[in-house]
Amino acid sequence: MAGRADLWYQNAVIYAVDVDAFQDSDGDGVGDFQGLISRLDYLNHLGVDCLWLLPFYPSPNRDNGYDVMDYYGVDPRHGTLGDFVEFLRAADERGIRVLVDLVANHTSDQHPWFQRARVDPDSTYRDYYVWSTDPPQPDPGRGSVFPGEAGAGRVWTYDTEAGAYYYHRFYEFQPDLNLYNPAVREEIRKVVSFWLRLGVAGFRIDAATLMIEEKRPGNGQPEDPHELLRELRAHARRHGGDVVLLAEADDDPSRLGEYFAGGEFDRGDRSRPGGGVDLLLNFYLDAHLFLALATGRAGPVERALATLPPPPDGSGWANFLRNYDELNLGRLHRAEQEQVYERFAPDAHARIYGRGIRRRLAPILDGDRDRIELALSLLFSMPGTPLLFYGDEIGMGEDLSLPGRTAVRTPMQWSDAENAGFSTAPASRLVRPVVDEGPFSYERVNVADEWADPASLLNFVEHLVGTRHETPAIGRVDPEVVQTDAPSVFAHCYEGSAETVAMAHEFAGEPRTVTLDVGPKDASPMGLLGVGELRTVEVGVEVDLGPYGYRWLRVGDG
Ligand code: GLC
């Protein structure tokens, strides 16, 4: 098949795990590495071949571990570094690669660097952070990332010990690192080497957009903002040519192309090489997928694909539906946000930060199996690497009584045993409560029951993962939109020299027959996913789609 280079991460299925909510092995109510090891066979059976671990480092844990106190350790609640290495080995035996979160935009205020920086103005650590005795007014658009939560938009907080203000784009307990200090960059490189030496396959780069921006508001944009991640990737790749950097950059789509390794940063007067990112989390597409699901129209998907820059060879998108943060609608127009809110979060309590929804996939879609399958099929058909959030494969729900983004981080539901099989601790000691009420309670939604039921969502997802692995063109060929006369149907294809893979998705809940002008006209189509008759007609393939139906097919000699 013609297309891009063949790289492992372009045909991988990534699964995001929060170690503390996955499996507790020692009965203290908190998930740990031994617990995760015991669930690797489950992940292997599901077919996922890459795990992204949310932060598990020592941390005061005021932001789900994104407030790191020690970059070189494992929080004792999750086990030891030895347990981590054993986990890596066990994952490796099953052919599962592991990405870890690199939270380098900021540390916890409890990190020894910050503690030294506060008390001693002459310490070398002082300049690891960003200080001011007279902080400027923050630019509009560069306030707190968590409006309403973190000190009402404050980004400078006064530290009495230091006698100065320090800068933080997130919570006030997460001081930003001064990433323009070469000593800080050296520290980050050491951290990267450390985890690569232990055997991780790469990193999910937290807050990449904020990492590369000028830390002192008012100083303008740095000359070469992408140098930081470009250097980091060059450094990481010295440890192995297929190390991957997966970045969180919820930036304007016109700027996303710059982040990729091989991309270009053009500031008008001068252009420079782009960044060091192999995979970019696709927030823009995510918001548009939900807009399509909310409106019953294919247009938003088409618009998103047309707007996003094509990744350079070797780079790609990491696509997802939900993750452990809010479903961010910030990149949609106001009226579109309202449409999604009305449909998927009519209750204001389910909304957050004036831009997002703090619900999981299954409840957003009313637990409707047809629409959940449609959404997942669509996700796996999008150009790039699909990413699943733990629990979405069984259709878990959220707990809106928990604060903020925590709502979607409840423990994995393994069975209908006490505490959903997650832990033997008394319920009051669990890291977060299990969902034990309503249609998504662990008695109704759990792994054990779903494995036993061939018609379950879990078995569908396993099939979907397998089908995606057998369709590598999705990861490495640019897609083309296929026009149909039905505004509720999105159709696209990946055209290779010998065969074409095409997909059609119906959003309005109405049966439709569409004709796809794809593939060699004399070849008969083969169905890959979904149900419905396929007929070869003069102009291509005729596909019958049921309400919320989806169909993947292959035409050609493949
Ligand atoms: C990223 C993470 C989020 C975290 C923040 C601060 O946006 O996704 O969960 O709170 O960074 O590290």
Side-chain angles (χ1 to χ4, degrees), residues 239-259:
H239 294 262
D242 62 355
V243 168
V244 63
L245 299 191
L246 158 68
E248 178 196 35
D250 190 359
D251 208 336
D252 189 272
S254 64
R255 286 194 290 270
L256 290 175
E258 298 167 5
Y259 286 81

Side-chain angles (χ1 to χ4, degrees), residues 388-403:
L388 285 170
F389 175 47
Y390 83 91
D392 278 355
E393 74 276 24
I394 53 172
M396 270 173 54
E398 70 278 335
D399 180 350
L400 288 174
S401 73
L402 297 177

Side-chain angles (χ1 to χ4, degrees), residues 63 66 106 146 170 174 204 206 248 324-325 405 409:
D63 181 19
Y66 282 93
H106 48 268
F146 303 132
F170 293 99
Q174 291 166 318
R204 179 265 187 188
D206 185 58
E248 178 196 35
Y324 62 98
D325 283 329
R405 293 168 293 153
R409 300 171 183 173

Side-chain angles (χ1 to χ4, degrees), residues 40-81:
L40 281 173
D41 285 331
Y42 164 76
L43 295 167
N44 197 25
H45 190 135
L46 185 58
V48 300
D49 42 10
C50 180
L51 300 181
W52 153 27
L53 302 188
L54 271 55
F56 50 79
Y57 315 106
S59 162
N61 214 22
R62 296 175 70 189
D63 181 19
N64 208 42
Y66 282 93
D67 42 339
V68 178
M69 224 164 77
D70 173 6
Y71 286 108
Y72 295 105
V74 167
D75 193 292
R77 300 177 318 142
H78 305 317
T80 64
L81 202 50

